[in-house]
Amino acid sequence: MQKQMVNGVNIAYERRGKGTPMVLVHGFPLDHTSWDALVPHLEGQVDLILPDLRGMGQSDFNHAGAPEGAYTVADMATDVVSLLDALQVQKVVVVGHSMGGYVALAFARAYPQRLAGLGLISTQALPDAPERKAGRYATAEQVATHGVSVVADAMAPKLTANPDQVPALRESILRQPAAGVIGALKAMAERPDSTELIATFKFPVAIVHGLADALIPVDRSREMKAFIPQAVLTELPDVGHSPMLEAPAETAQALKKVLS
Ligand code: MLT
């Protein structure tokens, strides 16, 4: 992987393929390798930029002197735009999976002029309900005490509807640093409601959701579609929370709809 110091943090990223620039922003508690199955379906016509969000994968947790855990999905979006600046990429399609979707929406809020289109996979515009938010902080405390295995055990089976994929996902979660998992939990808990924002979108939007998603129900994507008339919603039967892993060809086809 390559590394780029942006926004005070070393961000690790891969760049694959040629064509229209597209950033793939991974979900929680994963890293850029969650896109591995999708990449071969896109790299023939897309210039793919695959960052590890701060604190995850091989990216730094925080820059020296910053308070622990004190970052937001907006900071993660600024990391992404700063990486694009460093790579001299202007307009991009930003695709986010789940937490990556929260980051993609934060990117759209702060940097709309940089967007050629948006891909929203297994995500939502709504913020956390109070009990979900409290649950995130409780999980963060458990991770601080017992380590990342708490999250790996609870989440890996929910990330896919295909039981064969659970062991590799569990391993992938176990590779994540505890500080980054805690930071991401807090960032997700504090994310804003993006419902009014999405109603302003004028660029192409692809929305993808598995009908067997155990973490975020497909209704969240149907609601987003209702606010974004030009959006194309692809619902995938028998697919869980990770369409790019469970149905990569169909997911790539859906994302290509935002390429001009
Ligand atoms: C994710 O897959 O990124 C997370 O499950 C999203 C969330 O917990 O809201």
Side-chain angles (χ1 to χ4, degrees):
M1 285 191 93
Q2 307 187 63
K3 285 205 176 184
Q4 179 70 46
M5 174 63 80
V6 294
N7 202 18
V9 180
N10 249 321
I11 294 293
Y13 70 98
E14 269 196 45
R15 196 164 183 184
R16 304 266 300 270
K18 281 205 163 38
T20 308
M22 180 186 278
V23 190
L24 300 180
V25 186
H26 64 80
F28 173 86
L30 301 167
D31 59 28
H32 79 284
T33 59
S34 57
W35 300 109
D36 280 355
L38 182 71
V39 168
H41 297 277
L42 289 174
E43 64 187 344
Q45 64 184 103
V46 183
D47 172 9
L48 291 165
I49 299 156
L50 305 116
D52 284 344
L53 290 171
R54 67 164 71 193
M56 315 298 287
Q58 295 179 44
S59 288
D60 284 356
F61 165 59
N62 229 336
H63 53 283
E68 258 205 20
Y71 55 86
T72 61
V73 291
D75 291 323
M76 293 169 165
T78 301
D79 294 341
V80 173
V81 85
S82 306
L83 175 63
L84 295 175
D85 288 344
L87 298 176
Q88 297 185 323
V89 174
Q90 279 306 312
K91 285 229 162 190
V92 280
V93 176
V94 178
V95 175
H97 169 236
S98 201
M99 177 179 76
Y102 309 155
V103 176
L105 291 173
F107 187 105
R109 184 187 302 279
Y111 312 106
Q113 72 284 2
R114 301 293 286 269
L115 275 181
L118 205 55
L120 299 169
I121 304 176
S122 318
T123 193
Q124 59 190 334
L126 290 176
D128 279 355
E131 61 278 13
R132 181 90 179 105
K133 193 168 168 170
R136 303 248 199 226
Y137 281 95
T139 305
E141 285 202 6
Q142 285 189 323
V143 173
T145 311
H146 304 291
V148 173
S149 62
V150 176
V151 171
D153 293 343
M155 276 200 76
K158 295 186 185 160
L159 284 172
T160 175
N162 179 350
D164 294 344
Q165 295 173 336
V166 172
L169 283 164
R170 190 171 178 282
E171 288 307 311
S172 182
I173 297 172
L174 288 172
R175 281 197 298 273
Q176 305 307 320
V181 170
I182 292 167
L185 281 164
K186 293 179 180 174
M188 287 194 288
E190 300 303 331
R191 74 185 189 280
D193 189 342
S194 294
T195 309
E196 283 185 18
L197 171 77
I198 64 173
T200 68
F201 289 170
K202 296 287 179 278
F203 40 76
V205 179
I207 304 175
V208 182
H209 217 114
L211 291 175
D213 191 325
L215 284 169
I216 297 178
V218 67
D219 282 349
R220 297 293 89 79
S221 276
R222 291 177 182 160
E223 290 156 11
M224 289 198 290
K225 160 74 190 141
F227 281 100
I228 317 171
Q230 78 278 19
V232 180
L233 169 60
T234 303
E235 297 185 8
L236 298 169
D238 303 319
V239 168
H241 190 60
S242 302
M244 66 289 172
L245 181 65
E246 299 173 64
E250 293 83 349
T251 303
Q253 205 181 355
L255 294 177
K256 283 180 188 173
K257 297 198 171 108
V258 301
L259 301 177
S260 45

